[in-house]
Amino acid sequence: MVQKLLVLGIESSCDETGAALVQFDFLGDAQHIPSLLSHALYSQIEMHQAFGGVVPELASRDHIRRVLPLISETLNAAGRTLAEIDVVAYTRGPGLAGALLVGAGVACALGAALAKPVLGVHHLEGHLLSPFLSADPPRFPFVALLVSGGHTQLMRVDGVGRYQLLGESIDDAAGEAFDKSAKLMGLDYPGGPLLARMAQEGNPKAYALPRPLLHSGNLDFSFAGLKTAVLVQAQKMVAAAGVSCFEALPRSQQCDLAASTQAAIVDVLVKKSMTALKETGLKRLVVAGGVGANRHLRQQLDEACAKRQVRVHYPELHLCTDNGAMIALAAAMRLHSGVQQPTMNYAFDVKPRWPLDALERLGL
Ligand code: KG4
Ligand code: ZN
């Protein structure tokens, strides 16, 4: 008999409010098929753009305004009612404390009102497992390259909740390197996707930028120095052209610097991922997080993995950045694998700082 589980996922860790309904069909023999019934997202990016970055207090207030209409929208789109939900999942951390509290509060209030269990999910675990919702889902074990706005990590993943950190950024994350470089090129926040668009028109070899920690002998990353190198290069170009600012340079030069910056970030991510695969002996790579939407990164990883007979898996493009679907999915997978029990205790806390590999140790 096929058992079904309907999970509502709520994401509110940063500047996107997300709600989604994921249905899990259990087929026995540990087999399950997750399907995304509907998801709705509201991005606050425009509101924060005027400030050049996310303003935490504004973010929490806006989550409050958006979350209930988004939940109604997902239910309507899937033709389901609140009473049909089996579990309410929410992002418990890491993220902005006030923003997390909105999702956690709504999820636990909803759970209490419906007398249904609730489950707090680790945001990065959501990203990590999001490729299981794609048309080409991975199988355990695999190496995961997690590249979000705040985190760059390589993990060995042996199963749900079994995450071993292999290396991580010791300063800026890859997403921050994209965003900070984009900012000094005069692009709006978050500049990653805009820089990537300019890079398509540029020459990635035009400027020699550093590949930090490429030969460090470990799997850690450092992108803070790259941002400084981009700044110095931009200043040189402005001085040589005798113009007032970077945006006054010919577009071809701007695109060349964007392409060279993107190439430097991608080069390090690809090489370290290949080293992680070699060291672990694993033949599967999963890429997740916002920077995973970057086309150049996908092309370079596809090429490098093809050479080594490694299968590479990505989330669907629209599920690369923050969303409620990955939260609902991670909750369903945690329940199904037995690593976590849902709770009917509706008292909640949030974890603004929460290392992913601490999940197993805490048994949470
Ligand atoms: O995973 P995510 O949505 O949020 C966090 O959990 O942090 O990642 C957002 C990050 C931002 O730094 C954004 O600039 C970057 O992902 N990003 C990209 C692209 N799309 C999103 N960076 C480079 N190229 C892209 N196409
Ligand atoms: Zn994220």
Side-chain angles (χ1 to χ4, degrees):
M1 191 190 74
V2 179
Q3 270 188 310
K4 291 183 192 301
L5 187 77
L6 186 64
V7 185
L8 170 68
I10 300 172
E11 155 64 31
S12 70
S13 65
C14 189
D15 57 355
E16 255 121 17
T17 326
L21 279 174
V22 167
Q23 180 170 300
F24 236 56
D25 293 316
F26 301 115
L27 308 175
D29 298 333
Q31 281 202 56
H32 52 259
I33 301 178
S35 20
L36 177 59
L37 302 188
S38 60
H39 88 116
L41 196 69
Y42 180 83
S43 169
Q44 307 175 350
I45 281 175
E46 242 174 72
M47 181 179 75
H48 297 295
Q49 253 164 7
F51 305 94
V54 178
V55 184
E57 183 56 28
L58 292 181
S60 352
R61 284 166 194 239
D62 206 56
H63 285 306
I64 295 173
R65 274 193 287 275
R66 311 288 172 191
V67 65
L68 292 178
L70 286 172
I71 293 173
S72 302
E73 195 182 321
T74 38
L75 286 165
N76 292 341
R80 301 297 180 99
T81 61
L82 275 178
E84 289 174 81
I85 294 170
D86 296 308
V87 177
V88 184
Y90 62 95
T91 307
R92 188 176 174 206
L96 302 169
L100 290 165
L101 281 170
V102 177
V106 166
C108 292
L110 204 54
L114 300 169
K116 293 289 166 66
V118 291
L119 197 146
V121 171
H122 194 295
H123 179 84
L124 293 179
E125 184 176 39
H127 277 304
L128 190 85
L129 298 176
S130 61
F132 282 91
L133 274 176
S134 73
D136 178 30
R139 263 186 283 143
F140 299 114
F142 52 76
V143 168
L145 172 67
L146 259 175
V147 271
S148 68
H151 295 84
T152 299
Q153 296 182 327
L154 278 163
M155 317 271 314
R156 182 192 165 106
V157 179
D158 285 294
V160 179
R162 295 170 61 200
Y163 312 125
Q164 184 197 341
L165 184 66
L166 302 173
E168 66 182 331
S169 177
I170 55 171
D171 43 50
D172 288 353
E176 274 173 296
F178 267 105
D179 294 343
K180 288 180 179 175
S181 304
K183 194 170 183 176
L184 51 95
M185 293 180 198
L187 299 171
D188 275 340
Y189 173 85
L194 302 175
L195 187 150
R197 214 168 300 149
M198 278 176 72
Q200 280 178 340
E201 291 173 42
N203 171 8
K205 296 205 170 98
Y207 304 105
L209 295 171
R211 267 67 172 157
L213 297 191
L214 194 57
H215 304 292
S216 61
N218 63 21
L219 293 169
D220 286 339
F221 302 88
S222 163
F223 289 108
L226 174 63
K227 171 194 64 197
T228 312
V230 173
L231 176 65
V232 170
Q233 183 59 46
Q235 284 168 342
K236 270 192 212 159
M237 291 159 72
V238 168
V243 291
S244 60
C245 62
F246 186 78
E247 295 102 293
L249 287 169
R251 180 156 171 96
S252 63
Q253 281 189 33
Q254 295 185 33
C255 293
D256 281 351
L257 187 59
S260 303
T261 306
Q262 176 175 263
I265 298 170
V266 166
D267 214 19
V268 179
L269 293 175
V270 172
K271 296 235 164 69
K272 295 260 173 176
S273 301
M274 295 310 117
T275 310
L277 286 159
K278 197 170 156 209
E279 284 181 5
T280 55
L282 296 176
K283 288 287 180 192
R284 222 174 260 278
L285 178 70
V286 160
V287 184
V291 181
N294 185 273
R295 280 205 200 152
H296 184 60
L297 176 65
R298 287 185 176 217
Q299 272 164 8
Q300 296 295 306
L301 282 174
D302 285 347
E303 268 177 37
C305 286
K307 269 192 217 153
R308 293 165 178 80
Q309 280 89 45
V310 167
R311 287 285 310 277
V312 54
H313 301 263
Y314 306 95
E316 301 289 338
L317 263 183
H318 70 287
L319 298 182
C320 273
T321 44
D322 294 350
N323 62 81
M326 66 185 197
I327 302 304
L329 174 82
M333 290 182 76
R334 288 185 75 76
L335 290 175
H336 183 234
S337 61
V339 295
Q340 191 167 346
Q341 300 303 318
T343 174
M344 305 280 279
N345 172 1
Y346 303 109
F348 59 88
D349 64 351
V350 294
K351 289 178 163 281
R353 287 180 176 274
W354 192 10
L356 183 55
D357 59 343
L359 272 181
E360 194 178 5
R361 287 202 300 272
L362 287 172
L364 280 171

